Amino acid sequence: MDKLLIVGSLNMDMVADVDHTPLTGETILTREITLIPGGKGANQAYAAGKLKADVTMFGAVGEDGYGNTLLENLAKAGVHVENVIKRKHTATGMAFITVNKEGDNSIVVISGANATMSVEDIDLGRKLIESADIVLLQMEIPVETVCYTAKLAKSLGKTVILDPAPVPDSFPAELYRYIDIIKPNETELYRLTGMNPAENRMEEAAGWIRERGVGNVLVTLGEQGAYLDSELFGIVRIPAITVQAVDTTAAGDAFTAAAAVKLAEGKDLCEAASFANRVASIVVTRKGAQSSIPTLEEVLAESF
Ligand code: RIB
């Protein structure tokens, strides 16, 4: 099986269940806050570990209790964490998350150690990239570090997968050239292209990204499944699976990781996307980020 390397963020999530997402200027009450391991990078790594991939995490935490907890949780899922940097005098990343009654979330990330992941760190970790087959990236570490990693990985012949969340104000056009598969959700797709979401120009938006050098654009559509515009398969729609969503946190992270796991097993991108859709459908029925990610056995036991 091919080896996965995740380069990205680790956060301790502080999750508050709320009746509704607070409006601008509004104060609302909730009874408690729950601490759950998260971070878009770490969620991908955790999901890949649970799905039995050979997966390594590369990122940074602070020298604090939250950092240790995050690494222990990843290690329990079988993720190689030895190379995660423990940064002195820096706090581990945190995320404040509200989840409303519809299961939709709203997230503020306090980057902490994630913001310290530098190009020099990537050079020091070059061996990790050399020994991986598939490199997964997201945008919760500095954009220049993402771009540098993608460029290096691509030059070494690796498959590069980017979840462009959160989409930065200025997304470097150069980055598109180093990506084999990009996995935005619908909002992120339109944000990247500058198109108006209300106009619903999915094909055009995915085509816009393809023209910039990305071989495959895989868009998650929530309750409507997923959409693939692929250099090999053309346009493919992955049908929705109907479930009762309670919390969508980490569904996109798990989707990306699950697709990568199947590619690592030698499956094609259509099969990979379809498996990823099944995994994400389970994630949204459970609360939290890493707490919601199923084992391989649980995915295989699902009848959908
Ligand atoms: O994608 C979900 C993740 O986004 C959360 O776990 C939170 O940490 C933020 O990074």
Side-chain angles (χ1 to χ4, degrees):
M1 190 202 268
D2 281 353
K3 290 184 178 178
L4 304 186
L5 173 68
I6 317 286
V7 182
S9 60
L10 305 95
N11 297 328
M12 181 58 84
D13 291 353
M14 320 224 156
V15 186
D17 287 323
V18 293
D19 280 342
H20 65 271
T21 305
L23 304 171
T24 306
E26 186 185 23
T27 300
I28 58 171
L29 302 179
T30 187
R31 279 191 176 276
E32 59 183 15
I33 201 143
T34 315
L35 297 189
I36 301 175
K40 293 186 194 306
N43 294 345
Q44 288 183 347
Y46 188 86
K50 291 292 239 187
L51 296 171
K52 298 199 181 345
D54 181 339
V55 55
T56 298
M57 177 78 210
F58 190 38
V61 293
E63 272 195 329
D64 52 27
Y66 287 160
N68 293 337
T69 305
L70 295 180
L71 296 186
E72 280 163 19
N73 204 51
L74 287 179
K76 269 193 231 153
V79 179
H80 304 292
V81 293
E82 307 75 33
N83 294 287
V84 174
I85 298 162
K86 289 190 175 173
R87 197 78 77 195
K88 285 191 194 312
H89 313 302
T90 309
T92 294
M94 285 189 276
F96 289 105
I97 305 182
T98 59
V99 181
N100 67 21
K101 281 195 160 157
E102 286 72 46
D104 293 321
N105 64 38
S106 165
I107 305 179
V108 176
V109 173
I110 298 93
S111 298
N114 298 308
T116 69
M117 270 308 280
S118 65
V119 162
E120 290 73 31
D121 291 323
I122 301 301
D123 280 337
L124 290 171
R126 185 185 167 103
K127 276 209 162 56
L128 297 175
I129 299 176
E130 284 171 349
S131 56
D133 300 289
I134 302 177
V135 177
L136 285 86
L137 293 153
Q138 334 73 38
M139 309 293 296
E140 285 185 335
I141 59 172
V143 176
E144 60 273 18
T145 308
V146 173
C147 209
Y148 186 81
T149 309
K151 184 176 184 181
L152 176 61
K154 185 78 176 171
S155 73
L156 293 169
K158 312 302 175 183
T159 299
V160 180
I161 303 179
L162 176 72
D163 185 331
V167 176
D169 288 339
S170 163
F171 187 94
E174 177 199 358
L175 180 50
Y176 288 118
R177 297 205 300 273
Y178 312 133
I179 301 169
D180 296 290
I181 303 168
I182 194 166
K183 202 291 302 161
N185 64 22
E186 215 174 350
T187 309
E188 291 150 1
L189 174 74
Y190 291 120
R191 185 109 203 270
L192 287 168
T193 59
M195 290 179 193
N196 180 354
E199 290 174 8
N200 202 16
R201 290 150 67 195
M202 173 84 62
E203 292 198 7
E204 220 180 304
W208 185 95
I209 293 181
R210 292 277 323 274
E211 278 165 22
R212 276 151 186 79
V214 182
N216 303 279
V217 181
L218 180 54
V219 187
T220 44
L221 302 174
E223 290 163 3
Q224 278 143 50
Y227 173 95
L228 172 65
D229 182 346
S230 159
E231 57 191 348
L232 204 59
F233 301 101
I235 290 175
V236 180
R237 286 192 178 268
I238 293 99
I241 297 170
T242 307
V243 291
Q244 185 63 48
V246 299
D247 181 357
T248 58
T249 307
D253 308 330
F255 182 103
T256 309
V261 170
K262 285 292 144 183
L263 294 175
E265 289 173 6
K267 302 286 190 290
D268 69 38
L269 187 52
C270 290
E271 281 179 83
S274 173
F275 177 75
N277 197 33
R278 292 170 57 194
V279 172
S281 298
I282 297 175
V283 172
V284 300
T285 65
R286 301 173 176 184
K287 289 194 167 204
Q290 287 165 37
S291 52
S292 70
I293 291 168
T295 60
L296 179 61
E297 291 76 15
E298 286 172 322
V299 181
L300 298 177
E302 266 299 340
S303 51
F304 49 65

